[in-house]
Amino acid sequence: MLPFLARRGAMALAVVWLAASLSFVALRWAPGDALDATMARAGASEAQIDAQRAGLGLDDPLPIQYGRYWLDVARGRWGVSLVTGQPVLELIAQNARPTLTLALAALGVALALGVTLGVMDGLGRPAALRWAAGGLAALALATPVYWTSTLAIYTFTVALNLLPGVGGSGPRAVILPGLVLGFHTAGSIARVTAASVRDAARGDFVRTARAKGLPEHDVIDHILRVGLLPVVSVVALQAGFLLGGTVITEMIFVRRGLGQVLLAAVTNRDYPVVQGLVILAALVYTTLNAGADALYHRLDPRTRREG
Amino acid sequence: MQWRGVRFTVALTLGGVVLALSALAPLLATHDPRAAAPEAQLQPPSREHLFGTDLLGRDVYSRVLYGGRRTFAVALLTVVITLGPGLLVGAAAGATGGWVDGLLMTLMDALLAVPALVLALALLALLGSGSVQIAAAVGIAGIPAYARVTRAAVLEARARPYIEAARAIGARPAGILVRHILPTIAPPLLAFAGVTLSWAILNSAALVFLGFGGDIAAPDWGVMLADGRQAFRTAPWVALAPGVALSLTVLAINWLADGIDRVTRR
């Protein structure tokens, strides 16, 4: 267990380091950042912009910037926004909560709906139930958030006046965006669950269980114990991807959050903010996946055989 | 099992219809997709305007038809950008193994660690707005997944008994690659190319929707969905037509990829 975790942790660190370094190189390479745009708009001269740039250390050679960048990251200084001058980490901290709320709500919906649809698609009887569940899952995969949101807001806010739509606040405001984002995510979870459950149902242990006359619901219980294991990995994967989904959802529902911060930063070429969010996303993703692997390791004795 | 056959046929028909409608857009369109008509704003569907008109009075039906062409063009370019490097990296990693494999796959993992849409957005911050830029950004974001699938397919093929046998009787590596490995890995890679295509459509339309398409007047499903969002309170049809078209297209491609995967497996 321990060497496995250590190896997994080292790999996760390597991945985050590489992701951060790639984004560092790519973004420093880029021409014309927000500093140019904002200061020129404020009427600053070329010399003033250069002075500001030198003050921020942006004109040093790349290797030196890179070294200083990692020292800063390690010390918790993730640079400052080129637009507002606010520290990136502070910006992230201020906007993390609404995004986390939305992501958790969506994940809850996705997990409940995805596993239900997946199990029904994989094992459901009669066949019509399988078709319906499979069809709904396929539909969820094929309807992106930027189209279901409009539909959902029209139905639940405009027509039925049940739920707050755009720009709402308070706990009720998270319901609709959470449902919409969760529905799309449920498609992937259902797909993997169905395949895995179907696979498990073909296992030898299932034939044995049936042969010795176990009641059907006990057989199903056996199947699900094996068949639902991969859900752990998919959920970790999807949770990592939710930051991508929240970008669009937050924009449509006009919610404060990291997605909105990222959108603004991309539009303004505010490189330090973009970079901070890329590193954050990589960190979240690798942490979740390492956690899922460790959990898998505990849940499934078959994975423990090799070291 | 029968259901799978039905589904594949439905998907094939649907895909064919969408392709035909897009290809024949200039013949089928009743209006110029870019022509604004201020006097005909937000009209509900009628004989004159089959799917109604949008905020600027443009014909939604004609715009959906032309939008299909644009969407397909961008998505195909995206897939081309993904496939080349993805195949190369995956094949190199799978065929060589050892430290090359480790290095390449760690690199792919690093790219995979950032959600595709976030990665694509970060790339757009570098590249700027536009259709080609979107195709490049989404295409690059798709490379790691394709490389992983290619590598897995190559590894799986190399372990097949008939390929081991070919190696055992002393066939040349190049000959084994062309005659035995390529035919083995082609079907799963084709199926995953289908998945990549629908993924490319969804993500490039997302970026267009977010306003990075460069041309906000273009007949494009992403642009139309963004327009529809502005007007949905009074005119839900503006978003309905492009949304349904987008979903049906993605659904058809997914089911086709599924079918290819199922038919060719083993």
Side-chain angles (χ1 to χ4, degrees):
Chain A
M1 184 75 188
L2 216 75
F4 167 81
L5 275 186
R7 219 175 45 200
R8 196 64 189 74
M11 248 175 68
L13 276 182
V15 164
V16 172
W17 167 74
L18 210 58
S21 301
L22 282 177
S23 75
F24 173 86
V25 174
L27 291 177
R28 288 305 141 105
W29 220 351
D33 55 31
L35 204 59
D36 282 332
T38 0
M39 290 192 68
R41 214 181 299 133
S45 69
E46 196 88 356
Q48 281 172 312
I49 296 178
D50 284 347
Q52 175 76 10
R53 192 173 294 279
L56 289 169
L58 289 173
D59 58 351
D60 292 336
L62 267 185
I64 291 180
Q65 287 197 37
Y66 181 66
R68 191 170 49 217
Y69 170 69
W70 273 112
L71 275 178
D72 283 350
V73 167
R75 280 193 236 131
R77 291 212 302 254
W78 286 25
V80 294
S81 160
L82 297 180
V83 177
T84 61
Q86 199 185 10
V88 173
L89 219 50
E90 195 184 294
L91 196 65
I92 290 178
Q94 276 174 6
N95 288 282
R97 236 187 111 106
T99 300
L100 198 65
T101 314
L102 174 59
L104 283 178
L107 202 60
V109 172
L111 196 59
L113 189 66
V115 171
T116 310
L117 285 180
V119 170
M120 265 161 54
D121 183 17
L123 303 175
R125 233 171 264 156
L129 189 64
R130 282 203 299 277
W131 300 351
L136 197 58
L139 198 68
L141 269 176
T143 45
V145 170
Y146 46 88
W147 137 236
T148 39
S149 311
T150 306
L151 217 60
I153 296 176
Y154 182 77
T155 315
F156 292 104
T157 309
V158 179
L160 300 174
N161 200 12
L162 272 177
L163 290 166
V166 175
S169 60
R172 267 164 57 85
V174 83
I175 299 177
L176 214 47
L179 276 175
V180 166
L181 185 55
F183 179 64
H184 183 57
T185 313
S188 325
I189 296 181
R191 217 178 132 88
V192 175
T193 307
S196 158
V197 169
R198 220 176 280 137
D199 233 32
R202 279 195 288 266
D204 290 335
F205 66 95
V206 176
R207 195 177 323 130
T208 309
R210 289 229 164 86
K212 73 177 185 185
L214 273 190
E216 189 59 23
H217 65 261
D218 281 347
V219 178
I220 300 276
D221 187 59
H222 277 66
I223 295 175
L224 290 185
R225 269 161 191 267
V226 176
L228 289 185
L229 274 174
V231 173
V232 174
S233 310
V234 195
V235 167
L237 210 65
Q238 291 301 328
F241 290 155
L242 273 178
L243 183 56
T246 52
V247 174
I248 297 173
T249 318
E250 282 173 7
M251 180 248 193
I252 296 175
F253 286 91
V254 198
R255 280 176 64 86
R256 209 164 58 87
L258 293 176
Q260 297 272 39
V261 173
L262 177 63
L263 263 186
V266 170
T267 313
N268 297 327
R269 305 207 158 186
D270 193 347
Y271 297 142
V273 177
V274 175
Q275 192 173 22
L277 286 168
V278 166
I279 298 177
L280 179 74
L283 262 175
V284 169
Y285 172 91
T286 40
T287 311
L288 284 173
N289 273 282
D293 278 4
L295 187 63
Y296 214 108
H297 206 65
R298 278 200 66 85
L299 292 177
D300 188 351
R302 288 171 302 181
T303 57
R304 270 176 243 156
R305 234 172 268 148
E306 7 116 44
Chain B
M1 282 303 110
Q2 240 174 352
W3 160 237
R4 312 258 172 231
V6 175
R7 212 173 65 175
F8 191 71
T9 317
V10 170
L12 207 59
T13 319
L14 209 58
V17 168
V18 173
L19 265 184
L21 287 179
S22 307
L24 299 177
L27 295 175
L28 298 169
T30 50
H31 293 75
D32 178 349
R34 283 176 187 266
E39 72 284 356
Q41 273 182 15
L42 295 179
Q43 288 184 357
S46 64
R47 261 242 174 105
E48 168 71 9
H49 299 286
L50 280 175
F51 296 160
T53 61
D54 67 7
L55 260 173
L56 297 177
R58 294 171 298 195
D59 181 52
V60 174
Y61 165 74
S62 305
R63 284 176 70 74
V64 168
L65 287 178
Y66 276 97
R69 312 183 115 200
R70 250 182 110 84
T71 304
F72 272 116
V74 173
L76 282 178
L77 185 60
T78 307
V79 171
V80 169
I81 292 170
T82 296
L83 247 55
L87 277 173
L88 214 63
V89 170
T96 50
W99 67 269
V100 178
D101 182 21
L103 189 73
L104 286 176
M105 282 304 119
T106 311
L107 194 69
M108 292 298 111
D109 277 349
L111 284 175
L112 212 53
V114 183
L117 195 70
V118 175
L119 183 58
L121 276 170
L123 287 169
L124 281 183
L126 293 175
L127 301 169
S129 301
S131 297
V132 177
Q133 285 85 341
I134 285 182
V138 178
I140 293 174
I143 291 174
Y146 208 82
R148 279 216 151 272
V149 172
T150 308
R151 173 179 177 271
V154 170
L155 285 183
E156 202 258 337
R158 270 163 47 113
R160 296 271 177 111
Y162 55 85
I163 284 162
E164 237 173 277
R167 206 176 307 138
I169 60 170
R172 280 177 306 114
I176 295 179
L177 181 72
V178 172
R179 204 159 329 137
H180 302 298
I181 294 189
L182 276 184
T184 311
I185 64 174
L189 291 187
L190 185 66
F192 199 68
V195 174
T196 308
L197 181 63
S198 68
W199 180 85
I201 291 178
L202 286 177
N203 279 288
S204 55
L207 293 172
V208 173
F209 176 87
L210 289 173
F212 295 100
D215 182 357
I216 55 161
D220 184 302
W221 292 344
V223 172
M224 297 180 71
L225 283 167
D227 291 345
R229 189 187 145 236
Q230 311 282 327
F232 70 88
R233 271 170 202 280
T234 46
W237 57 82
V238 180
L240 202 63
V244 169
L246 183 81
S247 290
L248 286 182
T249 307
V250 171
L251 194 70
I253 298 172
N254 280 346
W255 278 354
L256 282 176
D258 250 17
I260 296 174
D261 192 45
R262 201 176 308 279
V263 169
T264 54
R265 187 165 292 171
R266 270 175 280 271

